[in-house]
Amino acid sequence: MSEAVRFSKEGNIGIITINNPPVNALSQAVRAGIRTGLEKGIADNDIAAMIILCEGRTFIAGADIREFGKPPLEPYLPDVCKFIEDSPKPVIAAIHGTALGGGLEIPLSCHFRIATAAAKLGLPEVKLGLLPGAGGTQRLPRLAGVHAALEMITSGVPVNAARAKDMGILDAIIEGDLKAEALIFAKKVINEKLPVRKVSERQAKADSPSVFDDFAKANARKFRGAIAPFKCIDAIRIATELPFAEGMKRERAIFLELQASDQSRALRHVFFSEREVVRIPGLPDDQPTREIRSVGVLGAGTMGGGIAMCFVNAGIPVVLLEVKQEMLEKGLAVIRKNYAGTVAKGKLKQEVMDKRMSLIKPTLSYNDLKDADLVIEAVFEDMAVKKEVFGKLDTICRPGTILASNTSYLNIDEIAATTKRPQDVMGMHFFSPANVMRLLENVRGAKTSPEVYATAMKVGRTIGKVPVLVGVCDGFVGNRMLAKRTRECGFMLEEGALPWQIDKAIYNFGFPMGPYAMGDMAGLDIGWRNRKAKFDSLTPREKACNIIDKICEMGRFGQKTGSGFYQYDEKRNATPDPMIEELITRHSQEVGITRRNITDQEIIERAIYSMINEGAKILEEGIAARPLDIDVVWLNGYGFPAYLGGPMFYADTVGLKKVYDAILKYRDLVGTEYWTPSPLIERLAGEGKGFYSK
Ligand code: 3HC
Ligand code: NAI
């Protein structure tokens, strides 16, 4: 029997114990081991019932995703599940931690299911672009009902043990020691001669034939662009229409089709990249880090307040410093209001909110930052102010304190040079709203020590962010690439497109919103100010492409002023504004461009490929170490659709040669200044390779 699975006996009960760290994924060895264990238990006349349980931190976390894409190995999971269900002796699943995917399909094939109170059960396959492929779509609606199955399988969100019991998935919730209680449960099953109950023999009934279409329609926006949720719905519908064995065949066929799809490949890439991203090439796994027990935050504005919330949410006390009492109070009031909103929604207990607020120490005095292990500056985006602040921090903070800036664009090395400890200075670039957005760009300066940036990566994880290590350049990874998209969209407005056409194309590509709706939401004045600051370094065409200046000069800053690129009603619903259309058409005349029809395909190519080309330059310059770092930035900070895997993965899916050819086409159309292919793309395209297949 494989080492990953052990069979042991306690009286007349057989125990199949899985031990396949870290998460007991269902590798071939585990599948085979479970089957062998069952065979032993069935063959042994002394055994009257069996228990499946796991060692380590969790029950089975699902199929071994690393085996996907390789030739499948026997025994297949659906067959193992069938073997469990067909066992003449009762089999009990004893669950702790998370039973996910195949890790729930095994219990669904058992005859009884018990779990610890803290356990979570889910079918997250949809998040990998799949459906549950070992009977989940056929057994769950039979056990928990069609509606519950639709919710659980299409969302992929796990339920807690109490909810699972209410849904009929669990027979009991265990308070004490799981193994001891599972043995007691098994004895009861044996003594009371409880029958072997097969979920597959139950009926799955839909309340009405329209329930599936209604569900798809009600969730159309949520599922937009993704294939898997609709396939999940189909499979659940099949469970209500066909006999179990037929349904299993259909589920398997859909599973294999999805497994081979670009979307599933992309989503698996996302899963592994988000875990790989914290491993820094060149640093050992045991790289020493500093302990962060207290944090100072400078500036209680939009970003400072959100950053403070991130740390106190994780139980790390924060000293929050402002220049004026009035600003401090204003900042604290916003934090309080944010928490109160969550409390009002019933998502946070009042005591927890009070505890978090008590962890924030407001101050006007730099002296209070003396003991901080990490200080993050989020004051005005002005180099002179930043330099003054870092100079002060350098004199006040104890040696070893990490000094970080949340700057969006300013040069971290220049800031670091104002201190006597450039090795302890770096950027920690949060995204707005900082307490919500998962991305954290950790910016390593030329002199930042590995211990310091490794600490920032670790603390990023502690506060629930997805930290990505990047280097110093204008806009770092995310905003630098975004700037290229913004520029290209501006040119397309001049050449014949309208903001709503561009927005629609980008939205249909899969982004949550287009660039103009986003600009209106964030406030157009931010981009306008940034443009003015950089004006001297712009090309003549960039200078002349001043549509945003014209709009802002009219006081139209977006949603907050009731209009921007769009017109807004009291409920902030956007409508295209004929005045803006006129302004843009007039602008084209002024700059001497004859407007033409621009297709959605051109919009997507120019908006996305301009970013991919910049991403390739970022890789060449070493600003990002790997393409996956860029993908993770765009997935977590800018709403790049996960089912496309991020811009660099998407480029590979399209084919780099095709991307390269398009870049050459736009070079001829728009100009070499804007569309020179990066040497990396040129080389890879020539060799028939991709960013990920070098
Ligand atoms: N297969 C292979 N490796 C897996 C895995 C899986 N199903 N789940 C997790 N891992 C790996 C991770 O890649 C990571 O490896 P690393 O240390 O080398 O980076 C390690 O296990 C630990 O994972 P996390 O860092 O995510 O640990 P957490 O404790 O934060 O989370 C978890 C644990 C909740 C189980 C989380 O890992 C998770 O959500 N895993 C995926 C679950 C899933 O999607 N299951 C469905 C698989 S598809 C399926 O079952 C198909 C079936 O229907 C036929
Ligand atoms: P903000 O204007 O909302 O807040 C800045 C705060 O800093 C103000 O409350 C101000 O009183 C305070 N302040 C100014 N000088 C100070 C000093 N010397 N000491 C202490 N406090 C001081 O600005 P916001 O938007 O929070 O931006 C802060 C920083 O974060 C900037 O560098 C910005 O580029 C960056 N950033 C902003 C993002 C955004 O979307 N707003 C996103 C990511 C980064």
Side-chain angles (χ1 to χ4, degrees):
M1 190 151 189
S2 78
E3 273 178 40
V5 185
R6 268 192 339 267
F7 181 80
S8 58
K9 295 204 289 190
E10 298 250 353
N12 59 349
I13 298 164
I15 304 177
I16 296 164
T17 307
I18 301 163
N19 181 22
N20 182 30
V23 294
N24 290 316
L26 287 160
S27 63
Q28 190 276 338
V30 173
R31 297 194 303 272
I34 295 174
R35 199 192 148 111
T36 313
L38 282 161
E39 281 167 353
K40 282 193 181 174
I42 294 167
D44 189 331
N45 286 336
D46 295 344
I47 297 291
M50 285 169 278
I51 297 169
I52 298 179
L53 56 77
C54 288
E55 282 183 357
R57 67 196 216 220
T58 179
F59 195 77
I60 304 164
D64 188 336
I65 310 168
R66 291 182 203 273
E67 283 185 1
F68 291 2
K70 297 180 191 156
L73 296 170
E74 290 192 4
Y76 305 134
L77 190 56
D79 299 336
V80 175
C81 289
K82 183 171 183 328
F83 196 76
I84 297 173
E85 198 177 49
D86 287 345
S87 160
K89 298 178 183 177
V91 185
I92 299 141
I95 299 166
H96 76 289
T98 41
L100 298 178
L104 179 56
E105 290 172 304
I106 295 247
L108 290 175
S109 317
C110 293
H111 308 112
F112 299 92
R113 289 158 290 277
I114 60 174
T116 61
K120 289 202 165 137
L121 287 71
L123 291 169
E125 286 87 343
V126 73
K127 294 185 180 168
L128 299 170
L130 299 168
L131 52 52
T137 66
Q138 304 303 299
R139 286 196 178 90
L140 191 62
R142 284 178 159 83
L143 188 62
V146 164
H147 194 75
L150 282 170
E151 282 291 341
M152 223 170 132
I153 295 174
T154 63
S155 73
V157 176
V159 295
N160 62 28
R163 172 92 184 99
K165 176 129 192 303
D166 286 348
M167 291 164 82
I169 301 174
L170 290 177
D171 297 299
I173 295 181
I174 302 303
E175 293 299 342
D177 177 68
L178 181 60
K179 186 172 169 189
E181 293 294 326
L183 285 166
I184 294 170
F185 190 92
K187 277 181 200 139
K188 184 169 167 253
V189 169
I190 298 166
N191 293 341
E192 294 180 14
K193 299 199 168 44
L194 295 181
V196 162
R197 307 171 312 171
K198 293 187 180 187
V199 173
S200 65
E201 288 176 353
R202 299 164 70 125
Q203 290 293 312
K205 287 196 206 78
D207 292 344
S208 87
S210 69
V211 62
F212 302 101
D213 288 345
D214 293 347
F215 187 81
K217 262 189 221 136
N219 289 284
R221 205 181 158 88
K222 194 165 118 199
F223 300 157
R224 185 170 63 95
I227 301 166
F230 298 100
K231 297 284 183 183
C232 291
I233 298 173
D234 283 349
I236 299 168
R237 185 177 42 74
I238 287 167
T240 65
E241 291 173 354
L242 296 181
F244 182 77
E246 260 321 289
M248 284 300 289
K249 275 192 208 147
R250 298 280 287 273
E251 180 198 77
R252 186 76 188 156
I254 305 174
F255 179 82
L256 293 175
E257 176 195 324
L258 287 176
Q259 200 187 27
S261 69
D262 284 342
Q263 288 203 354
S264 179
R265 276 193 324 112
L267 288 161
R268 270 139 47 198
H269 156 74
V270 173
F271 178 83
F272 287 117
S273 297
E274 287 184 351
R275 284 158 179 80
E276 189 60 29
V277 77
V278 290
R279 287 190 195 111
I280 306 163
L283 290 195
D285 282 347
D286 58 353
Q287 166 65 43
T289 52
R290 296 181 194 169
E291 207 166 325
I292 304 298
R293 282 157 306 204
S294 68
V295 172
V297 174
L298 270 72
T302 311
M303 294 307 289
I307 295 169
M309 288 174 78
C310 295
F311 285 95
V312 297
N313 290 352
I316 301 172
V318 169
V319 175
L320 184 60
L321 181 138
E322 258 292 346
V323 270
K324 287 196 200 120
Q325 184 64 28
E326 182 198 337
M327 300 312 284
L328 201 49
E329 274 161 24
K330 202 171 143 199
L332 282 170
V334 173
I335 297 175
R336 208 173 288 118
K337 196 172 148 222
N338 279 338
Y339 280 136
T342 320
V343 171
K345 282 189 208 138
K347 290 187 180 163
L348 186 73
K349 290 203 175 107
Q350 184 65 48
E351 311 87 89
V352 180
M353 163 173 167
D354 295 343
K355 168 90 187 110
R356 290 183 185 175
M357 287 307 297
S358 75
L359 285 176
I360 302 178
K361 181 182 173 190
T363 187
L364 297 175
S365 160
Y366 272 76
N367 262 332
D368 289 328
L369 299 172
K370 266 198 336 276
D371 299 323
D373 298 311
L374 164 69
V375 177
I376 303 174
E377 161 281 308
V379 306
F380 299 137
E381 183 77 341
D382 179 318
M383 186 52 103
V385 181
K386 304 265 189 209
K387 282 184 173 171
E388 189 200 320
V389 164
F390 273 77
K392 272 195 211 153
L393 288 174
D394 194 28
T395 53
I396 281 159
C397 295
R398 58 166 182 74
T401 299
I402 297 175
L403 307 181
S405 171
N406 181 49
T407 177
S408 310
Y409 292 97
L410 300 175
N411 188 312
I412 298 293
D413 292 329
E414 204 178 323
I415 295 174
T418 60
T419 72
K420 287 186 218 66
R421 52 171 110 185
Q423 75 283 357
D424 289 342
V425 177
M426 63 178 293
M428 286 180 81
H429 183 212
F430 289 76
F431 287 70
S432 181
N435 53 315
V436 177
M437 294 296 289
R438 291 179 76 213
L439 178 63
L440 170 64
E441 276 184 330
N442 278 329
V443 190
R444 144 169 77 170
K447 295 191 178 158
T448 314
S449 81
E451 186 174 293
V452 167
Y453 57 75
T455 303
M457 294 300 282
K458 192 166 158 202
V459 81
R461 282 280 284 242
T462 310
I463 60 172
K465 299 291 172 201
V466 181
V468 183
L469 190 65
V470 303
V472 175
C473 65
D474 188 21
F476 314 122
V477 169
N479 285 342
R480 174 169 161 183
M481 287 167 69
L482 180 68
K484 299 299 176 237
R485 186 181 89 174
T486 309
R487 177 174 74 189
E488 211 50 39
C489 289
F491 288 174
M492 287 190 278
L493 290 184
E494 286 185 326
E495 292 167 33
L498 289 170
W500 21 101
Q501 187 201 352
I502 293 181
D503 276 357
K504 192 154 170 262
I506 300 274
Y507 176 82
N508 288 342
F509 180 80
F511 278 94
M513 56 174 79
Y516 297 106
M518 193 175 92
D520 274 0
M521 197 177 76
L524 297 179
D525 47 325
I526 298 183
W528 187 35
R529 211 178 313 129
N530 192 24
R531 181 175 148 80
K532 279 195 246 179
K534 295 210 170 88
F535 196 77
D536 289 342
S537 63
L538 301 181
T539 66
R541 178 163 183 193
E542 286 169 341
K543 281 183 180 156
C545 186
N546 62 359
I547 295 166
I548 186 163
D549 304 351
K550 288 172 178 161
I551 294 176
C552 286
E553 277 156 16
M554 290 190 284
R556 297 174 67 121
F557 292 162
Q559 288 192 10
K560 61 185 171 191
T561 59
S563 65
F565 280 95
Y566 294 84
Q567 190 72 44
Y568 294 89
D569 64 16
E570 325 72 58
K571 288 189 182 145
R572 299 204 163 190
N573 292 316
T575 31
D577 192 336
M579 204 257 248
I580 293 295
E581 180 167 349
E582 206 188 302
L583 182 148
I584 292 173
T585 319
R586 208 177 332 114
H587 170 87
S588 301
Q589 278 168 9
E590 281 163 17
V591 292
I593 295 177
T594 309
R595 293 178 70 79
R596 63 182 170 89
N597 179 39
I598 298 202
T599 63
D600 287 355
Q601 188 189 342
E602 179 172 344
I603 292 174
I604 293 305
E605 287 182 356
R606 288 176 67 176
I608 309 293
Y609 295 179
S610 57
M611 296 202 307
I612 293 169
N613 198 29
E614 196 64 19
K617 290 179 190 166
I618 284 171
L619 281 177
E620 278 165 347
E621 292 167 24
I623 299 294
R626 302 155 295 191
L628 71 86
D629 295 294
I630 299 178
D631 283 340
V632 172
V633 163
W634 271 83
L635 291 159
N636 290 285
Y638 299 84
F640 198 97
Y643 56 76
L644 297 179
M648 309 315 269
F649 189 89
Y650 172 71
D652 280 6
T653 309
V654 171
L656 270 195
K657 174 77 173 78
K658 226 170 134 190
V659 174
Y660 174 74
D661 289 344
I663 293 174
L664 295 187
K665 182 174 82 185
Y666 294 119
R667 183 182 63 185
D668 295 344
L669 185 77
V670 191
T672 354
E673 280 167 287
Y674 313 110
W675 284 94
T676 295
S678 92
L680 179 63
I681 293 195
E682 182 152 25
R683 177 172 65 75
L684 293 174
E687 293 168 359
K689 292 179 180 164
F691 292 120
Y692 287 95
S693 57
K694 279 191 262 177

